[in-house]
Amino acid sequence: MNYERTGGKFPPMARIGLVLGAGGIVGQAFHAGALAALEHDLGWDPRTADVIVGSSAGSVTGTLLRIGVSASDLAAWAVEAPLSVEGAPLMEQLGGEAPEFPEFSPRDLLRPWRLPAPSLIVRAVRRPWAFRPGSATMTLLPEGRIDIGERAEVLQAVSGDKWPNGLWICAARRRDGGRVVFGRKGSPEARVGQAVAASCAIPGYFAPVKIGGVSYFDGGVYSPTNADVLRDEHLDLVVVLSPMSSARGRSKGPDAPLRWMAHRKLQREVGRLRAKGTAVVRIEPGPRTMEAMGVNAMAADRTDRVVQAAFLEAGRLAASGAVADRLRPLVTRKSRLG
């Protein structure tokens, strides 16, 4: 049963989807703060979502949830606060500290660019209505110099050889920018660490990740959220966390055009979900959170401020009118870890 098709009434055990968008290090901090607010205010454990979709930074957060890290521990880890008895051993296995990366140098973009791949041209000719100029441009960028594979493999060591149930990780093929959803039935096989590395491989910054002989890069290239991959999953409610957009599309910062475009893209994806009868709640940064985030997605010195701002803004949103009604299944849902 779906929300829209039951006259706005949720079934006793609603099926929940959680979408975690791209956004770099500050995006992960946004996830931690917003999810901690839902856990604290509504008593909902995000680990119990039936399907978790992660893109780029969201692939890291989603994997951490699926291997057992709670939202409160994600937030505590981000702000260097004490962890729970349950979470401390997991975080110790992950190394205990967030990885540090060198600053992006614009000079890297002065290296030779790639020519368009034949598959990209064929894709554009066969499906011009689906052509994405931004994604196509990303396929032409020089390869990044930083290998992210080793950093992501630590997740593999903790998660084990079995792919976590209900975890979908979005990446883009480098040759044509097409979206691939690792973990979804019918998609290429990959290890969790490989998929996370591929999803996080920012073009021109991180080196592409090869899986099965195919090169992949950041899932955020195709879409900052990729929420529409859930449109045929017959979910009752999908909660979308979108660090790269802005609430109501409004932003006064220098990244305002990019945030507005991400917001508009998310609107279209939400429309596809709602057309299938799925209720959707989107959590996007408001003024206070955007100020804390700044414009450098890889800034590691803003984490605590972002977590706190996202926690407060998400809490206020969750308590407001129609949003509170749509989030009702999170309050009544029974814990179903496993």
Side-chain angles (χ1 to χ4, degrees):
M1 290 189 293
N2 292 81
Y3 179 78
E4 299 294 342
R5 295 170 184 170
T6 55
K9 297 181 180 179
F10 287 101
M13 181 58 75
R15 298 192 70 239
I16 310 297
L18 174 62
V19 175
L20 302 165
I25 292 175
V26 295
Q28 285 181 250
F30 176 80
H31 295 149
L35 291 173
L38 297 180
E39 181 184 84
H40 179 271
D41 295 357
L42 305 182
W44 178 59
D45 188 339
R47 295 175 293 182
T48 66
D50 292 276
V51 186
I52 298 177
V53 176
S55 301
S56 197
S59 73
V60 178
T61 303
T63 302
L64 289 173
L65 290 171
R66 276 298 189 239
I67 64 177
V69 181
S70 68
S72 55
D73 277 328
L74 287 175
W77 185 51
V79 300
E80 299 182 0
L83 300 171
S84 70
V85 173
E86 173 192 34
L90 280 171
M91 286 307 191
E92 185 176 346
Q93 291 182 63
L94 292 168
E97 296 181 358
E100 295 184 3
F101 300 104
E103 289 188 12
F104 172 75
S105 173
R107 287 179 295 181
D108 286 340
L109 299 182
L110 299 179
R111 291 181 289 118
W113 286 41
R114 302 171 73 234
L115 292 174
S119 56
L120 175 62
I121 298 172
V122 170
R123 184 182 178 90
V125 171
R126 288 182 176 175
R127 303 184 64 203
W129 60 88
F131 182 69
R132 295 169 176 252
S135 300
T137 301
M138 293 296 104
T139 69
L140 309 181
L141 290 176
E143 283 197 6
R145 297 179 183 272
I146 305 170
D147 182 2
I148 195 177
E150 291 185 7
R151 293 176 172 89
E153 276 299 307
V154 67
L155 290 174
Q156 184 68 47
V158 178
S159 62
D161 293 330
K162 186 178 179 181
W163 186 277
N165 184 47
L167 175 65
W168 291 6
I169 294 177
C170 298
R173 288 188 301 268
R174 193 186 183 211
R175 65 173 183 261
D176 61 5
R179 178 170 62 192
V180 175
V181 185
F182 294 108
R184 183 171 66 175
K185 186 177 180 180
S187 294
E189 291 188 6
R191 301 169 72 221
V192 173
Q194 290 177 314
V196 170
S199 186
C200 293
I202 302 170
Y205 184 61
F206 292 123
V209 175
K210 277 196 172 183
I211 301 175
V214 178
S215 291
Y216 297 93
F217 55 33
D218 201 313
V221 167
Y222 189 90
S223 164
T225 44
N226 291 294
D228 56 339
V229 299
L230 293 174
R231 61 187 178 275
D232 295 321
E233 291 305 298
H234 307 292
L235 298 168
D236 299 290
L237 170 66
V238 171
V239 179
V240 183
L241 273 62
S242 178
M244 291 184 67
S245 61
S246 55
R248 295 178 295 280
R250 300 173 186 172
S251 173
K252 296 180 180 179
D255 58 349
L258 293 176
R259 287 193 174 277
W260 181 84
M261 286 190 291
H263 174 80
R264 292 288 295 167
K265 187 170 289 187
L266 176 56
Q267 281 186 313
R268 292 192 291 271
E269 293 175 2
V270 168
R272 295 182 190 119
L273 288 168
R274 288 177 174 163
K276 294 287 188 174
T278 302
V280 182
V281 170
R282 52 187 175 186
I283 302 177
E284 303 171 87
R288 181 173 177 176
T289 302
M290 284 187 286
E291 181 181 359
M293 294 173 87
V295 296
N296 179 10
M298 302 303 288
D301 60 343
R302 293 175 169 267
T303 297
D304 55 347
R305 285 173 285 168
V306 175
V307 169
Q308 293 167 17
F311 181 91
L312 294 174
E313 285 189 346
R316 284 195 297 269
L317 177 67
S320 63
V323 173
D325 183 61
R326 289 198 295 272
L327 289 175
R328 194 162 18 92
L330 304 188
V331 180
T332 58
R333 184 179 176 87
K334 296 178 182 178
S335 178
R336 293 197 290 124
L337 290 176

